[in-house]
């Protein structure tokens, strides 16, 4: 059994989220779609799906033949009740797969800036320990413009109404990045230099904001990664029962 990680760009790995999942004993099976890897034919022996970011758009099905196939697997995983996490492009693919809509923004959101909970005072368990307003890394020119049926918005920003959402109990999309260390962020910004320049964004301003706020960004990102690991991918679901109630695999003696 393994968690499928759909990787759409060489730099956009599962990063700290992947490390957390491995640390508790999960096996990750990374599908390097950017490098021509084939999608699995089914979800046999799959514990869940993590769909990462990438520079492509969800409607670019002619340029990227895997988009329709990945969406089909996401839809099937959701119908089976498997946990699904999508980050940036991955969130948009979840929306597309489940009947929502994705559209271009008037201006790309490229910044280290705030998101705010859509319903302050009502905390989804996955966001336990996270403040209603905090800064995250935005790096996208498309957004989820219409949620799937039964989709619930979680966080938003002035530029993007749907920064995170859930559909059902175990499918979550995050438009923003919370999973990167500082060196990964700097590498991604450098790799997207032309796009940033075209959007009129000065990378030095983003880096200056990160200099001031990175420690809190990483602390809160680590908390979200841990919540995802503990609540969406608990290992005790996979272990044979010994008749005792358990909260997670660590409580088994």
């Amino acid at each position: 059994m393994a968690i499928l990680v759909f990787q759409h760009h060489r730099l956009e790995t599962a990063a700290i989220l992947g490390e957390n999942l491995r640390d508790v004993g999960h096996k990750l099976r990374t599908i390097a779609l950017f490098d021509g890897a084939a999608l699995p034919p089914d979800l046999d022996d799959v514990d869940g799906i993590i769909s990462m970011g990438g520079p492509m758009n969800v409607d670019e099905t002619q340029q990227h033949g895997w988009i329709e196939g990945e969406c089909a697997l996401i839809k099937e995983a959701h119908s089976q009740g498997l946990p699904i996490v999508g980050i940036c492009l991955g969130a948009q693919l979840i929306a597309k797969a489940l009947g929502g809509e994705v559209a271009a923004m008037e201006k790309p959101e490229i910044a280290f800036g705030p998101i705010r909970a859509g319903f302050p005072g009502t905390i989804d368990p996955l966001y336990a320990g996270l403040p209603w307003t905090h800064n995250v890394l935005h790096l996208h020119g498309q957004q989820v413009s219409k949620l799937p049926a039964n989709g619930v918005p979680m966080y938003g920003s002035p530029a993007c109404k749907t920064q995170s959402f859930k559909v059902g109990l175990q499918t979550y999309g995050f438009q923003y990045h919370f999973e990167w260390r500082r060196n990964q962020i700097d590498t991604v910004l450098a790799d997207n230099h032309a796009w940033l320049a075209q959007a009129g964004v000065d990378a030095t301003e983003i880096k200056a904001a990160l200099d001031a706020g990175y420690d809190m960004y990483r602390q809160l990102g680590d908390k979200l990664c841990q919540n995802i690991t503990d609540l969406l991918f608990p290992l005790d679901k996979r272990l044979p029962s010994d008749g005792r109630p358990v909260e997670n695999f660590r409580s088994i003696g």
Side-chain angles (χ1 to χ4, degrees), residues 13-245:
T13 67
I16 291 175
L17 177 57
E19 293 172 11
N20 279 17
L21 290 164
R22 290 191 186 95
D23 285 347
V24 301
H26 281 290
K27 178 180 179 182
L28 303 188
R29 180 184 170 194
T30 298
I31 312 297
L33 296 167
F34 70 94
D35 201 29
L39 289 163
D42 52 48
L43 296 173
D44 291 353
D45 298 322
V46 170
D47 286 330
I49 288 176
I50 298 175
S51 181
M52 301 308 302
M56 56 287 298
N57 300 330
V58 299
D59 60 353
E60 295 177 342
T61 55
Q62 295 299 314
Q63 300 96 312
H64 307 286
W66 46 263
I67 289 178
E68 294 292 352
E70 180 176 339
C71 285
L73 287 171
I74 289 172
K75 184 177 181 180
E76 177 60 23
H78 180 74
S79 71
Q80 291 185 22
L82 295 175
I84 305 170
V85 172
I87 301 175
C88 201
L89 172 65
Q92 297 168 10
L93 288 167
I94 289 174
K96 174 183 172 70
L98 301 184
E101 297 177 5
V102 178
M105 304 178 68
E106 290 186 13
K107 180 181 179 181
E109 187 177 25
I110 306 170
F112 180 64
I115 56 172
R116 180 175 176 80
F119 308 99
T122 302
I123 301 299
D124 183 272
L126 208 68
Y127 297 92
L130 298 175
W132 296 339
T133 300
H134 57 283
N135 289 331
V136 297
L137 185 68
H138 306 282
L139 200 67
H140 61 109
Q142 301 263 317
Q143 64 178 332
V144 176
S145 55
K146 180 181 178 181
L147 284 170
N150 301 317
V152 179
M154 296 281 105
Y155 277 78
S157 71
C160 176
K161 181 180 178 181
T162 304
Q163 285 287 350
S164 64
F165 63 93
K166 67 182 293 187
V167 187
L169 295 177
Q170 298 205 96
T171 297
Y172 285 81
F174 303 89
Q175 184 60 70
Y176 56 92
H177 290 277
F178 58 88
E179 76 281 15
W180 288 337
R181 290 188 173 87
R182 178 60 190 267
N183 65 324
Q184 293 172 290
I185 295 173
D186 289 342
T187 300
V188 170
L189 290 175
D191 192 69
N192 284 278
H193 174 76
W195 182 49
L196 269 64
Q198 184 180 11
V201 174
D202 186 350
T204 60
E205 294 182 0
I206 299 176
K207 292 179 180 180
L210 280 165
D211 289 340
Y214 176 77
D215 287 347
M216 181 59 69
Y217 161 82
R218 190 63 269 132
Q219 179 180 334
L220 297 177
D222 287 348
K223 178 61 176 174
L224 181 54
C225 287
Q226 193 63 54
N227 288 351
I228 290 171
T229 299
D230 291 343
L231 299 178
L232 286 186
F233 298 97
L235 266 184
D236 59 280
K237 285 186 176 181
R238 293 173 47 198
L239 298 177
S241 173
D242 64 356
R244 291 179 295 167

